[in-house]
Amino acid sequence: MAMAAMVTALFAMTSCLASPATTTETPVGDPAAVQAVVQAAEAFLATLDGAQMAEVVLPMTNETASAWSNLPCGSSCRNGIQFSTLSETQLAAAQAVLRATLNTSPGVGYDQAMQILLADDVLGAVQGSGGGRGGPGGGGGGGYSSGTYFLAFLGQPSTDGTWMLQFGGHHLAVNVTYSDGQVAGGSPFFIGVEPTSWTAEDGTAYAPLDVMKDAVGAMITSLSSEQLAQAKLSLSFTDVLLGPDADGGFPQARSGIAVSTLSDDQKALVLAAMKPWVSIVDEQAAEDLLAIYEAELDDTYISYSGATALTSQGDYIRIDGPSVWIEFVCQNGVVFSDQIHYHTVYRDRVRDYGGELSF
């Protein structure tokens, strides 16, 4: 089965403040969910030969953990085994790992990630670079294709050690860390999309990042004129600040408007705005993370640059807390040059890479 068809089928199934102390507790999640991830990972590994195994299981180091990108640069900028090289049996097993790992709520997590793969097939069709598992776009050097995505385990999957799952390709970088059978972190998580929306040949409409755009948009447009003036950043942005190769680059001071000054309804919108990003991990782990961020809400700041409409190059929104960091930015299109496209990133000052590495 072609990769695109398989993916489609799966759907049917500046005010500043010194940094306050962060909350260091670890999200636990559902132990049964972690066990399911490990079992799925072991089943996938059992389908591989020795050479493939060496591509997938790597040591967890600063170098390997930070080897992720939003660019269509194939294996030159990321770890793991390429989807287009897998047999149908291996590909199904890899997909099972992702379904076990990622949140299965509609529109986020696994569902959203698979739509990003489909978006790459749209780009590949426009550029003539193929699509799906077998197209020329699946080549290791780059190109746009749902086959040019990579899965890796940093460390051996287990319920009693520390290891990471990495999955990514163009416009997608998933990094979920496990420690002693717990979800220790679901960041860094980069997701972007071009085009921002499209309709497939079967009539299905896709707009995978609208859930994020609408959430941060509702948050920022709830502000009064006076509050918007406080939230406005003096700098402009053409991309996210803390994307790939920016580990440990968190600003020392927060800019924008303090959530502590907002109404209860506005605070609820801030928390709701975080949820689509935090929901990259399983539902229980996402709830645990949101509870931590809610406890830190009064020490969190929100800000924006450009305009709040999120329709033009440079429109930018940020959430910056003691732990949580989320950015959403509009860029001019690359393949669809007459449109904008979106880049976003979710990080955690304490729990990036499970808090296991320092940068």
Side-chain angles (χ1 to χ4, degrees), residues 54-278:
E55 289 185 81
V56 173
V57 182
L58 302 168
M60 185 173 174
T61 65
N62 282 33
E63 182 179 5
T64 55
S66 61
W68 56 271
S69 178
N70 63 282
L71 298 174
C73 45
S75 61
S76 66
C77 62
R78 51 183 59 91
N79 304 308
I81 194 163
Q82 185 170 321
F83 267 23
S84 64
T85 68
L86 299 176
S87 70
E88 291 185 12
T89 297
Q90 291 169 331
L91 183 58
Q95 293 283 356
V97 174
L98 297 176
R99 285 196 302 272
T101 302
L102 306 181
N103 199 304
T104 55
S105 300
V108 296
Y110 179 79
D111 182 26
Q112 185 184 54
M114 293 301 102
Q115 291 185 53
I116 301 308
L117 274 66
L118 291 178
D120 250 27
D121 282 338
V122 173
L123 297 181
V126 171
Q127 290 228 313
S129 58
R133 272 187 50 208
Y144 300 114
S145 165
S146 58
T148 317
Y149 285 74
F150 296 77
L151 178 63
F153 305 139
L154 308 187
Q156 189 70 36
S158 70
T159 57
D160 59 3
T162 298
W163 63 284
M164 259 181 67
L165 179 145
Q166 284 192 326
F167 175 65
H170 176 232
H171 276 159
L172 184 66
V174 174
N175 297 284
V176 181
T177 306
Y178 298 91
S179 182
D180 295 329
Q182 300 177 350
V183 175
S187 60
F189 169 41
F190 183 102
I191 189 166
V193 70
E194 184 183 12
T196 59
S197 63
W198 71 94
T199 301
E201 290 183 2
D202 66 359
T204 303
Y206 296 99
L209 263 61
D210 274 11
V211 64
M212 294 171 164
K213 176 180 73 71
D214 293 346
V216 292
M219 175 191 75
I220 207 73
T221 58
S222 76
L223 301 182
S224 68
S225 298
E226 181 180 349
Q227 289 172 325
L228 283 170
Q230 295 178 63
K232 182 85 170 184
L233 296 170
S234 59
L235 300 176
S236 59
F237 298 85
T238 58
D239 204 347
V240 295
L241 183 64
L242 297 184
D245 301 318
D247 295 308
F250 299 100
Q252 292 302 304
R254 299 193 168 81
S255 301
I257 186 169
V259 176
S260 61
T261 68
L262 304 183
S263 70
D264 288 345
D265 286 347
Q266 289 173 319
K267 289 179 181 180
L269 288 173
V270 176
L271 192 64
M274 301 175 189
K275 188 172 182 178
W277 282 270
V278 176

Side-chain angles (χ1 to χ4, degrees), residues 199-356:
T199 301
E201 290 183 2
D202 66 359
T204 303
Y206 296 99
L209 263 61
D210 274 11
V211 64
M212 294 171 164
K213 176 180 73 71
D214 293 346
V216 292
M219 175 191 75
I220 207 73
T221 58
S222 76
L223 301 182
S224 68
S225 298
E226 181 180 349
Q227 289 172 325
L228 283 170
Q230 295 178 63
K232 182 85 170 184
L233 296 170
S234 59
L235 300 176
S236 59
F237 298 85
T238 58
D239 204 347
V240 295
L241 183 64
L242 297 184
D245 301 318
D247 295 308
F250 299 100
Q252 292 302 304
R254 299 193 168 81
S255 301
I257 186 169
V259 176
S260 61
T261 68
L262 304 183
S263 70
D264 288 345
D265 286 347
Q266 289 173 319
K267 289 179 181 180
L269 288 173
V270 176
L271 192 64
M274 301 175 189
K275 188 172 182 178
W277 282 270
V278 176
S279 292
I280 189 62
V281 293
D282 73 76
E283 291 186 34
Q284 185 58 59
E287 288 182 14
D288 291 346
L289 279 164
L290 279 172
I292 292 170
Y293 300 156
E294 183 175 16
E296 299 174 342
L297 206 54
D298 281 347
D299 291 320
T300 298
Y301 280 64
I302 63 173
S303 57
Y304 76 101
S305 182
T308 60
L310 296 176
T311 57
S312 301
Q313 163 83 3
D315 288 355
Y316 171 93
I317 295 177
R318 178 192 300 173
I319 302 173
D320 181 11
S323 299
V324 68
W325 172 279
I326 290 170
E327 298 175 82
F328 188 106
V329 69
C330 297
Q331 294 188 316
N332 289 332
V334 176
V335 176
F336 292 89
S337 58
D338 61 338
Q339 304 178 19
I340 60 165
H341 78 289
Y342 305 139
H343 279 190
T344 88
V345 72
Y346 157 50
R347 285 183 176 269
D348 188 306
R349 292 171 185 261
V350 178
R351 299 165 193 85
D352 270 4
Y353 309 108
E356 295 290 332

